[in-house]
Amino acid sequence: KAGVTQTPRYLIKTRGQQVTLSCSPISGHRSVSWYQQTPGQGLQFLFEYFSETQRNKGNFPGRFSGRQFSNSRSEMNVSTLELGDSALYLCASSLYGTDTQYFGPGTRLTVL
Amino acid sequence: DQQVKQNSPSLSVQEGRISILNCDYTNSMFDYFLWYKKYPAEGPTFLISISSIKDKNEDGRFTVFLNKSAKHLSLHIVPSQPGDSAVYFCAASAVQAAGNKLTFGGGTRVLVKP
């Protein structure tokens, strides 16, 4: 089976812009979660989607949003980018009802 | 409030010897624990997991031990190989909670010396 894929792998934006990141889960996986990794805060949970519904949300401002499509693919959006949003954004997928999450390679976002 | 802690930021071990990584948690609702390995600029790779109904789980060179009363888990890698050099994260979740949410420790950087 193909693993979790994320596009793009690298992105450079300027402050105030918005960005959309994409994630395709492992075939058959219906849950998609997003995480942010920064040197200072480590790996932090953003949100989780299952069957196009957000089931859980971390402690991030409303500028961070996401959605899931009927084919389980997911996108996350960050509006009004700030310098502190520079991070590695990771997507993970899992089967319904299990907790083993499998991660994609991540999208490295740099905000200038 | 760090609910999952890895108190050793780094560990150096000789090839062939045992690597022991430790993790402590505070949230008694956590009932499923995982270890991931991560290389720079890559996503975490799942290694092994354990449910709170068990105290040990083994998969090849990797063994995870869970001590629920102490809220402590450890990962043993035997024998350690140079390719094991990476950052290791422990993570925890509460199965009863709605949705999948992993809480990660800060990571332990392992260096295996040949």
Side-chain angles (χ1 to χ4, degrees):
Chain A
K1 270 187 183 177
V4 178
T5 58
Q6 292 186 245
T7 57
R9 291 294 311 277
Y10 302 92
L11 207 47
I12 299 175
K13 292 285 188 179
T14 56
R15 277 183 301 173
Q17 287 187 310
Q18 75 165 22
V19 67
T20 299
L21 312 181
S22 181
C23 171
S24 292
I26 293 171
S27 177
H29 285 193
R30 296 171 65 187
S31 169
V32 173
S33 299
W34 289 88
Y35 295 83
Q36 180 198 64
Q37 185 184 27
T38 59
Q41 298 297 319
L43 273 155
Q44 290 191 295
F45 172 78
L46 279 157
F47 29 65
E48 187 245 359
Y49 286 87
F50 179 83
S51 291
E52 303 177 65
T53 300
Q54 187 181 90
R55 288 200 299 192
N56 216 334
K57 190 176 190 307
N59 296 324
F60 279 83
R63 300 186 297 108
F64 292 81
S65 63
R67 60 177 175 168
Q68 186 181 33
F69 303 95
S70 58
N71 61 358
S72 294
R73 192 177 69 84
S74 177
E75 289 181 348
M76 69 163 280
N77 184 77
V78 188
S79 62
T80 320
L81 283 166
E82 300 177 359
L83 295 179
D85 297 333
S86 293
L88 180 66
Y89 289 90
L90 293 158
C91 164
S93 75
S94 68
L95 287 167
Y96 172 75
T98 69
D99 286 87
T100 299
Q101 296 184 29
Y102 297 90
F103 283 82
T107 294
R108 169 68 64 184
L109 171 65
T110 301
V111 182
L112 302 175
Chain B
D1 174 28
Q2 274 190 290
Q3 298 186 61
V4 179
K5 284 186 182 179
Q6 294 175 253
N7 291 318
S8 298
S10 64
L11 172 70
S12 182
V13 64
Q14 208 67 34
E15 181 180 3
R17 305 295 291 270
I18 183 171
S19 294
I20 300 176
L21 291 79
N22 294 302
C23 179
D24 297 295
Y25 62 96
T26 57
N27 189 339
S28 57
M29 297 299 291
F30 288 148
D31 51 13
Y32 191 68
F33 305 89
L34 309 91
W35 284 93
Y36 288 88
K37 172 182 176 180
K38 189 179 185 301
Y39 296 114
E42 292 185 13
T45 300
F46 169 71
L47 286 175
I48 192 168
S49 62
I50 188 167
S51 164
S52 60
I53 61 173
K54 295 185 173 182
D55 54 19
K56 177 182 174 182
N57 189 27
E58 206 169 342
D59 185 0
R61 296 186 299 116
F62 302 95
T63 303
V64 56
F65 296 91
L66 175 62
N67 182 333
K68 280 180 59 181
S69 60
K71 293 190 176 67
H72 176 83
L73 63 154
S74 62
L75 174 68
H76 292 205
I77 307 173
V78 183
S80 298
Q81 300 173 353
D84 295 332
S85 296
V87 178
Y88 290 76
F89 291 93
C90 92
S93 71
V95 174
Q96 298 305 315
N100 272 330
K101 174 185 174 181
L102 291 178
T103 301
F104 283 87
T108 296
R109 183 178 302 278
V110 173
L111 175 63
V112 180
K113 298 178 179 178

